[in-house]
PDB file of all heavy atoms in Angstrom:
ATOM      1  N   PRO A 833       5.175   0.511  -8.251  1.00  0.00           N
ATOM      2  CA  PRO A 833       5.370   1.894  -8.872  1.00  0.00           C
ATOM      3  C   PRO A 833       4.788   3.023  -7.954  1.00  0.00           C
ATOM      4  O   PRO A 833       4.111   2.660  -7.065  1.00  0.00           O
ATOM      5  CB  PRO A 833       4.648   1.771 -10.197  1.00  0.00           C
ATOM      6  CG  PRO A 833       3.551   0.728  -9.924  1.00  0.00           C
ATOM      7  CD  PRO A 833       4.217  -0.283  -8.922  1.00  0.00           C
ATOM      8  N   SER A 834       5.088   4.183  -8.356  1.00  0.00           N
ATOM      9  CA  SER A 834       4.551   5.415  -7.542  1.00  0.00           C
ATOM     10  C   SER A 834       3.101   5.417  -7.719  1.00  0.00           C
ATOM     11  O   SER A 834       2.519   4.971  -8.796  1.00  0.00           O
ATOM     12  CB  SER A 834       5.171   6.701  -8.197  1.00  0.00           C
ATOM     13  OG  SER A 834       4.439   7.816  -7.867  1.00  0.00           O
ATOM     14  N   PRO A 835       2.314   5.786  -6.646  1.00  0.00           N
ATOM     15  CA  PRO A 835       0.908   5.940  -6.739  1.00  0.00           C
ATOM     16  C   PRO A 835       0.408   6.844  -7.863  1.00  0.00           C
ATOM     17  O   PRO A 835      -0.648   6.615  -8.314  1.00  0.00           O
ATOM     18  CB  PRO A 835       0.504   6.511  -5.365  1.00  0.00           C
ATOM     19  CG  PRO A 835       1.553   6.123  -4.446  1.00  0.00           C
ATOM     20  CD  PRO A 835       2.851   6.186  -5.319  1.00  0.00           C
ATOM     21  N   ALA A 836       1.238   7.829  -8.334  1.00  0.00           N
ATOM     22  CA  ALA A 836       0.884   8.693  -9.394  1.00  0.00           C
ATOM     23  C   ALA A 836       1.078   8.099 -10.744  1.00  0.00           C
ATOM     24  O   ALA A 836       0.719   8.728 -11.828  1.00  0.00           O
ATOM     25  CB  ALA A 836       1.544  10.035  -9.200  1.00  0.00           C
ATOM     26  N   ASP A 837       1.832   6.980 -10.856  1.00  0.00           N
ATOM     27  CA  ASP A 837       2.191   6.421 -12.099  1.00  0.00           C
ATOM     28  C   ASP A 837       1.233   5.375 -12.532  1.00  0.00           C
ATOM     29  O   ASP A 837       1.350   4.226 -12.302  1.00  0.00           O
ATOM     30  CB  ASP A 837       3.613   5.785 -12.013  1.00  0.00           C
ATOM     31  CG  ASP A 837       4.072   5.111 -13.279  1.00  0.00           C
ATOM     32  OD1 ASP A 837       3.368   5.329 -14.290  1.00  0.00           O
ATOM     33  OD2 ASP A 837       5.099   4.396 -13.195  1.00  0.00           O
ATOM     34  N   TRP A 838       0.088   5.875 -13.173  1.00  0.00           N
ATOM     35  CA  TRP A 838      -0.969   4.892 -13.513  1.00  0.00           C
ATOM     36  C   TRP A 838      -0.608   3.899 -14.556  1.00  0.00           C
ATOM     37  O   TRP A 838      -0.938   2.711 -14.472  1.00  0.00           O
ATOM     38  CB  TRP A 838      -2.228   5.725 -13.942  1.00  0.00           C
ATOM     39  CG  TRP A 838      -3.036   6.044 -12.631  1.00  0.00           C
ATOM     40  CD1 TRP A 838      -3.117   7.220 -12.034  1.00  0.00           C
ATOM     41  CD2 TRP A 838      -3.747   5.077 -11.739  1.00  0.00           C
ATOM     42  NE1 TRP A 838      -3.877   7.083 -10.844  1.00  0.00           N
ATOM     43  CE2 TRP A 838      -4.287   5.808 -10.686  1.00  0.00           C
ATOM     44  CE3 TRP A 838      -4.032   3.739 -11.807  1.00  0.00           C
ATOM     45  CZ2 TRP A 838      -4.975   5.280  -9.688  1.00  0.00           C
ATOM     46  CZ3 TRP A 838      -4.731   3.121 -10.842  1.00  0.00           C
ATOM     47  CH2 TRP A 838      -5.202   3.946  -9.800  1.00  0.00           C
ATOM     48  N   PRO A 839       0.132   4.287 -15.560  1.00  0.00           N
ATOM     49  CA  PRO A 839       0.573   3.259 -16.527  1.00  0.00           C
ATOM     50  C   PRO A 839       1.404   2.176 -15.816  1.00  0.00           C
ATOM     51  O   PRO A 839       1.275   0.938 -16.113  1.00  0.00           O
ATOM     52  CB  PRO A 839       1.331   4.035 -17.600  1.00  0.00           C
ATOM     53  CG  PRO A 839       0.784   5.411 -17.604  1.00  0.00           C
ATOM     54  CD  PRO A 839       0.456   5.677 -16.124  1.00  0.00           C
ATOM     55  N   GLY A 840       2.260   2.682 -14.916  1.00  0.00           N
ATOM     56  CA  GLY A 840       3.113   1.675 -14.142  1.00  0.00           C
ATOM     57  C   GLY A 840       2.306   0.788 -13.250  1.00  0.00           C
ATOM     58  O   GLY A 840       2.574  -0.405 -13.110  1.00  0.00           O
ATOM     59  N   ARG A 841       1.236   1.356 -12.577  1.00  0.00           N
ATOM     60  CA  ARG A 841       0.444   0.574 -11.744  1.00  0.00           C
ATOM     61  C   ARG A 841      -0.397  -0.334 -12.524  1.00  0.00           C
ATOM     62  O   ARG A 841      -0.640  -1.515 -12.105  1.00  0.00           O
ATOM     63  CB  ARG A 841      -0.451   1.575 -10.941  1.00  0.00           C
ATOM     64  CG  ARG A 841       0.279   2.451  -9.904  1.00  0.00           C
ATOM     65  CD  ARG A 841      -0.683   3.431  -9.250  1.00  0.00           C
ATOM     66  NE  ARG A 841      -1.700   2.751  -8.353  1.00  0.00           N
ATOM     67  CZ  ARG A 841      -2.570   3.392  -7.664  1.00  0.00           C
ATOM     68  NH1 ARG A 841      -2.540   4.688  -7.537  1.00  0.00           N
ATOM     69  NH2 ARG A 841      -3.381   2.700  -6.873  1.00  0.00           N
ATOM     70  N   GLU A 968      -8.518   6.316 -16.884  1.00  0.00           N
ATOM     71  CA  GLU A 968      -7.228   6.677 -17.472  1.00  0.00           C
ATOM     72  C   GLU A 968      -6.544   5.531 -18.149  1.00  0.00           C
ATOM     73  O   GLU A 968      -5.831   5.694 -19.163  1.00  0.00           O
ATOM     74  CB  GLU A 968      -6.331   7.322 -16.588  1.00  0.00           C
ATOM     75  CG  GLU A 968      -6.780   8.706 -15.983  1.00  0.00           C
ATOM     76  CD  GLU A 968      -5.760   9.214 -14.891  1.00  0.00           C
ATOM     77  OE1 GLU A 968      -4.778   9.845 -15.336  1.00  0.00           O
ATOM     78  OE2 GLU A 968      -5.996   8.955 -13.739  1.00  0.00           O
ATOM     79  N   VAL A 969      -6.604   4.327 -17.595  1.00  0.00           N
ATOM     80  CA  VAL A 969      -5.867   3.152 -18.053  1.00  0.00           C
ATOM     81  C   VAL A 969      -6.761   2.104 -18.590  1.00  0.00           C
ATOM     82  O   VAL A 969      -6.311   0.940 -18.722  1.00  0.00           O
ATOM     83  CB  VAL A 969      -4.953   2.744 -16.984  1.00  0.00           C
ATOM     84  CG1 VAL A 969      -3.811   3.745 -16.660  1.00  0.00           C
ATOM     85  CG2 VAL A 969      -5.674   2.350 -15.662  1.00  0.00           C
ATOM     86  N   ARG A1007      -8.814  14.669  -9.116  1.00  0.00           N
ATOM     87  CA  ARG A1007      -7.905  14.487  -7.931  1.00  0.00           C
ATOM     88  C   ARG A1007      -8.713  14.464  -6.670  1.00  0.00           C
ATOM     89  O   ARG A1007      -9.580  15.353  -6.446  1.00  0.00           O
ATOM     90  CB  ARG A1007      -6.913  15.662  -7.843  1.00  0.00           C
ATOM     91  CG  ARG A1007      -5.796  15.376  -6.827  1.00  0.00           C
ATOM     92  CD  ARG A1007      -4.582  16.275  -7.022  1.00  0.00           C
ATOM     93  NE  ARG A1007      -3.978  16.174  -8.403  1.00  0.00           N
ATOM     94  CZ  ARG A1007      -3.097  15.202  -8.758  1.00  0.00           C
ATOM     95  NH1 ARG A1007      -2.730  14.357  -7.785  1.00  0.00           N
ATOM     96  NH2 ARG A1007      -2.647  15.164  -9.917  1.00  0.00           N
ATOM     97  N   GLY A1011      -5.364  13.019  -2.833  1.00  0.00           N
ATOM     98  CA  GLY A1011      -4.289  13.427  -3.833  1.00  0.00           C
ATOM     99  C   GLY A1011      -4.232  12.397  -4.985  1.00  0.00           C
ATOM    100  O   GLY A1011      -3.411  12.536  -5.866  1.00  0.00           O
ATOM    101  N   SER A1012      -4.932  11.365  -4.924  1.00  0.00           N
ATOM    102  CA  SER A1012      -5.044  10.266  -6.002  1.00  0.00           C
ATOM    103  C   SER A1012      -5.859  10.679  -7.229  1.00  0.00           C
ATOM    104  O   SER A1012      -6.730  11.549  -7.091  1.00  0.00           O
ATOM    105  CB  SER A1012      -5.382   8.967  -5.451  1.00  0.00           C
ATOM    106  OG  SER A1012      -6.692   8.953  -4.990  1.00  0.00           O
ATOM    107  N   THR A1013      -5.682   9.997  -8.275  1.00  0.00           N
ATOM    108  CA  THR A1013      -6.489  10.239  -9.498  1.00  0.00           C
ATOM    109  C   THR A1013      -7.048   8.980 -10.090  1.00  0.00           C
ATOM    110  O   THR A1013      -7.052   8.786 -11.238  1.00  0.00           O
ATOM    111  CB  THR A1013      -5.573  10.931 -10.557  1.00  0.00           C
ATOM    112  OG1 THR A1013      -4.415  10.157 -10.843  1.00  0.00           O
ATOM    113  CG2 THR A1013      -5.142  12.319 -10.087  1.00  0.00           C
ATOM    114  N   GLU A1014      -7.617   8.093  -9.265  1.00  0.00           N
ATOM    115  CA  GLU A1014      -8.152   6.806  -9.813  1.00  0.00           C
ATOM    116  C   GLU A1014      -9.574   7.070 -10.294  1.00  0.00           C
ATOM    117  O   GLU A1014     -10.175   6.142 -10.843  1.00  0.00           O
ATOM    118  CB  GLU A1014      -8.226   5.759  -8.642  1.00  0.00           C
ATOM    119  CG  GLU A1014      -9.217   6.028  -7.499  1.00  0.00           C
ATOM    120  CD  GLU A1014      -8.518   6.698  -6.360  1.00  0.00           C
ATOM    121  OE1 GLU A1014      -7.596   7.451  -6.508  1.00  0.00           O
ATOM    122  OE2 GLU A1014      -8.942   6.452  -5.217  1.00  0.00           O
TER     123      GLU A1014
END
Side-chain angles (χ1 to χ4, degrees):
S834 163
D837 179 10
W838 274 106
R841 291 178 66 176
E968 292 177 86
V969 292
R1007 190 166 300 278
S1012 60
T1013 56
E1014 68 264 30

